[in-house]
Amino acid sequence: MKRVPIIAGNWKMNKTLDKAVEFVNVIKDQLPSPDQCRVMIAAQPLFLADMIRAAANSPLQIFAENCYYHDFGAFTGEVSPLSLADMGVDGTILGHSERRKIFHESDELINKKVLAALRNNLSPLLCCDETMGRKVAGNEVHWVVSRILTDLRDVPREDLSKITIAYEPSWAIGSGQSADPVQAEEGCYLIRQTIADMYDDEAAQQMSVLYGGSVNAENASKLMASEDIDGCLIGGNSLKPETFMQLVNS
Ligand code: 13P
């Protein structure tokens, strides 16, 4: 089963509007075709409309970093998935480790957000860390990524093609210490097994699974050579256009 490689940047709470638009203008004509490699950038909501305009007619996909699970209402300070979709945003990161740790987001909340994103035709880029669990199914015991079981609850099988999952061990994020290819492959393999467990083997083979955590131009191609790693989710090294393009080209 051939899955298209993905390089995704997560800018977190960095950049200013002019730098965000300048970045898009610099890279947009250098990108591979989307059947060779899908390239996406997630940025603060304030930048998204201008980034979408700058990226028009290019294969660059523009993502949000988070959204809420209601479309409208009295939720001061939250970002509506409907508004993101209406603006032309392609998708949104959900369940990033920083949202889970700093903002105490639970798997139950993230599950509501995944369903809301799908309802609004936004592609969820669902992040999960190294939390593994045992699951007993019939007489068999499986090792699964326990967060995924809750995060994807009630997601219909036909919506799985819109979802990408990123395995980001919390200790590897921003530490300069990437998981080695064997550890990263193990995490991504377990995510794929979890999808097979929840749905079926075909769904698992179709799912794009990324690795994230201290990815750089040196380690990216080694990580992506592993069977179950379809791409990388990159924080710090996605901020400069030259470094980001090195990652895309690697
Ligand atoms: P770093 O690439 O800076 O480790 O960040 C990873 C990350 O959190 C991407 O979502």
Side-chain angles (χ1 to χ4, degrees), residues 10 12 93 96 98 127 168 172-176 212-215 233-237:
N10 173 13
K12 310 190 180 186
I93 295 180
H96 191 276
E98 286 145 18
C127 299
E168 297 205 308
I173 296 177
S175 65
S214 298
V215 174
L233 177 57
I234 304 146
N237 284 312

Side-chain angles (χ1 to χ4, degrees), residues 27-33 36 39 58-61 244-245 248:
I27 69 159
K28 68 178 181 187
D29 297 325
Q30 305 176 38
L31 298 175
S33 70
Q36 285 180 302
V39 181
S58 90
L60 181 63
Q61 296 193 319
F244 185 68
M245 282 313 299
V248 171

